[in-house]
Amino acid sequence: MRRRPALIATALLMGTGLLTACSPGAPEVSVGAGPVSDPAKVSAAQLVYPLDPYKTTDEQIRGLEKAQDLLTADCMKRFGFTYRPAVRPAPRGKSASSRYGVTDAAAVGRYGYVKPGVSAGPDKPAEEALPPAEQLALSGPPLKAKPGGGLVLPPRTLEESRRTDSGRTVNGQKVPVGGCGREGHLRLYAEKKDPVDLLYVFGMESEAFSRARQSPKVAGAVKAWSACMAEKGYRVTDPVSPQQALGLRSEAEFGGAPAIAAAKQDVACKKRTDLVALWYAAEVGFQNALMDEHAETLKQVKVELDERIRKAASVNGG
Amino acid sequence: MKNTALRRALTAVAALGTLGTGVLATAGPAAAVTRDGYLDIREFGLFYNSALGGSFIDLYMADGDLANDRFISPGPGQGYAVGNNAASYFNKDKVTWYVYTGAGAGGVEGWIPANYFGTFSTTFKNQVSSVYHFKAR
């Protein structure tokens, strides 16, 4: 399941010097635990990471959304209501944007810091307010506030939810805690057991990304990138989201002529300093180290993901 | 900014007093009003403390830079910047929300299904800087 290195990956690591990386906080990077993409050959947006097989794909997310809508509708039917799912934006093709900020010379020459096709974002049309009984069935009674701030946690599994009395009924039926919206979620994600945190892999990726950013080689490359940007008068330190430091305050400004000029320099500096390749290689090393450290939980993540996808397919009639 | 947040919170509290309820929580049938200190259906909540604890902010629409926002509802963390400070979340929307560790959908991407709540990991370092009610990358 884990993608272990190809020769090219090992060569890539050797090229970046990471195989011998023993700086404080850096993982022990073993020969063979390397990148699966070559940043010289693929765009930053298309790089593949060791944790990718544990992530839910966009297509799988769409299947889960559909299944959850159907399960919510099934619950609402019990109360005599027809559930209207939210209108979702049409899926887009492969993104050209990367986690490392702007990296594509052709795209920035046209769009600057705007993400093509995304920047303005799909609208979120207001929905008609539901009649009170229907609203109650959908979202349940208000959650209780915790003394001192925040909300009391609702039940975490369907079983626990069914044992918990919300204290409200609609059309003779007990309203679930959190309403049919929450029941639809629990039926798909947590019938009997609270699953591993759905953001577990996100957490691992974030940790690897951030540790890599702080590793000496990448920190050095970021400094070099800043110096390169300064050559054209741009005083920035964050290669991922430099817009605010560049004085760009709105989406409209992100695509203006000054933004395009800055973004062009940004991409050129990333290339000159080899920032993406260094960051990627370091990140892969940290991901592999974290994967070894949390192997058991990851195994469970994969089991639950596969079960969830199967269940969604079954609900969706697939 | 902080003063604005406090004013918002005080307004919310005053509204509660008028309604005769002392609970800042999910709303009744009223439409979602973003950043009012109530976590309504169709909204995404970010909390200052883990396990839905402390002050929170309720968002109806995407927010590309949480550094510009403050926790609103009464409780620990009220008035603090949301960017890189949120410890837990509750997606009360009907759609998936996407979270990013960098402003403007930069950094690492995560997704949160409708009606799911949780605590941003205490095991791993993750600092959410922007959130979207659609996939922004």
Side-chain angles (χ1 to χ4, degrees):
Chain A
M1 200 174 329
R2 262 185 74 181
R3 296 185 194 189
R4 289 286 184 180
L7 284 174
I8 185 172
T10 307
L12 181 66
L13 270 179
M14 292 179 88
T16 57
L18 271 175
L19 277 174
T20 53
C22 291
S23 50
E28 290 282 328
V29 181
S30 55
V31 175
V36 280
S37 303
D38 180 354
K41 291 185 178 161
V42 298
S43 72
Q46 309 305 324
L47 291 170
V48 175
Y49 296 83
L51 276 167
D52 285 357
Y54 299 89
K55 293 168 67 177
T56 315
T57 65
D58 293 343
E59 194 184 344
Q60 287 171 333
I61 291 173
R62 286 196 289 278
L64 290 165
E65 287 171 334
K66 185 179 170 193
Q68 189 172 333
D69 281 344
L70 288 170
L71 293 169
T72 302
D74 188 46
C75 172
M76 288 295 278
K77 203 171 162 190
R78 224 164 57 222
F79 294 90
F81 301 118
T82 303
Y83 176 63
R84 283 162 295 174
V87 179
R88 294 193 169 85
R92 299 179 306 112
K94 273 272 181 195
S95 171
S97 306
S98 89
R99 61 176 61 179
Y100 309 106
V102 290
T103 51
D104 185 319
V108 298
R110 192 165 171 196
Y111 302 108
Y113 284 98
V114 166
K115 290 185 170 57
V118 170
S119 61
D123 207 4
K124 190 174 173 185
E127 291 180 351
E128 268 182 49
L130 296 175
E134 191 172 347
Q135 174 78 21
L136 179 61
L138 182 60
S139 61
L143 295 169
K144 289 180 182 140
K146 272 183 202 163
L151 304 174
V152 172
L153 293 177
R156 287 186 170 276
T157 65
L158 187 64
E159 273 191 358
E160 187 190 346
S161 179
R162 286 184 172 153
R163 288 196 307 267
T164 310
D165 188 356
S166 74
R168 301 296 297 271
T169 57
V170 168
N171 295 335
Q173 297 279 330
K174 284 257 182 209
V175 175
V177 178
C180 286
R182 179 72 179 156
E183 182 180 299
H185 170 83
L186 292 176
R187 279 178 69 182
L188 186 59
Y189 289 84
E191 275 195 302
K192 293 181 178 169
K193 187 171 157 282
D194 193 16
V196 177
D197 178 7
L198 297 181
L199 289 185
Y200 193 83
V201 176
F202 165 75
M204 290 179 82
E205 284 189 289
S206 305
E207 172 87 26
F209 182 76
S210 145
R211 277 201 215 173
R213 164 72 178 80
Q214 289 158 17
S215 68
K217 278 184 186 295
V218 179
V222 170
K223 265 191 184 166
W225 170 84
S226 289
C228 174
M229 291 295 282
E231 287 172 13
K232 289 271 175 84
Y234 302 116
R235 305 282 168 198
V236 287
T237 56
D238 176 11
V240 173
S241 311
Q243 294 91 323
Q244 203 159 41
L246 289 166
L248 307 168
R249 305 283 177 223
S250 66
E251 291 287 342
E253 290 181 356
F254 291 177
I260 288 174
K264 278 182 175 173
Q265 179 71 358
D266 186 340
V267 172
C269 290
K270 278 178 181 143
K271 200 161 197 173
R272 196 204 289 179
T273 57
D274 214 14
L275 179 58
V276 171
L278 288 167
W279 200 330
Y280 170 68
E283 205 176 339
V284 166
F286 282 108
Q287 281 199 8
N288 280 321
L290 287 166
M291 287 169 73
D292 286 342
E293 199 180 328
H294 301 280
E296 279 308 303
T297 311
L298 263 187
K299 209 167 139 188
Q300 184 61 21
V301 164
K302 185 67 178 156
V303 166
E304 289 176 0
L305 171 61
D306 291 346
E307 274 174 11
R308 196 174 294 136
I309 299 307
R310 273 197 299 274
K311 191 189 281 186
S314 155
V315 171
N316 294 336
Chain B
M1 201 65 188
K2 191 170 178 179
N3 287 341
T4 310
L6 285 171
R7 271 201 302 277
R8 281 184 195 140
L10 288 169
T11 308
V13 170
L16 280 172
T18 311
L19 293 167
T21 164
V23 178
L24 265 178
T26 52
V33 178
T34 189
R35 296 175 168 89
D36 66 349
Y38 295 85
L39 185 57
D40 297 299
I41 187 169
R42 302 296 332 252
E43 289 187 334
F44 185 80
L46 286 165
F47 294 71
Y48 182 72
N49 283 338
S50 58
L52 311 184
S55 180
F56 64 85
I57 182 170
D58 54 304
L59 300 167
Y60 181 76
M61 295 284 280
D63 192 325
D65 192 356
L66 293 167
N68 298 326
D69 293 291
R70 298 290 183 269
F71 291 105
I72 292 167
S73 72
Q78 187 184 34
Y80 287 0
V82 179
N84 292 342
N85 261 330
S88 57
Y89 54 87
F90 198 156
N91 180 6
K92 284 289 291 175
D93 205 341
K94 291 160 83 174
V95 299
T96 303
W97 276 63
Y98 289 81
V99 295
Y100 298 86
T101 56
V108 175
E109 177 185 86
W111 65 284
I112 298 174
N115 271 286
Y116 181 65
F117 65 85
T119 294
F120 288 119
S121 175
T122 47
T123 311
F124 307 114
K125 184 185 291 178
N126 54 75
Q127 298 180 320
V128 170
S129 297
S130 56
V131 294
Y132 294 79
H133 62 279
F134 54 89
K135 184 172 166 58
R137 200 171 71 204

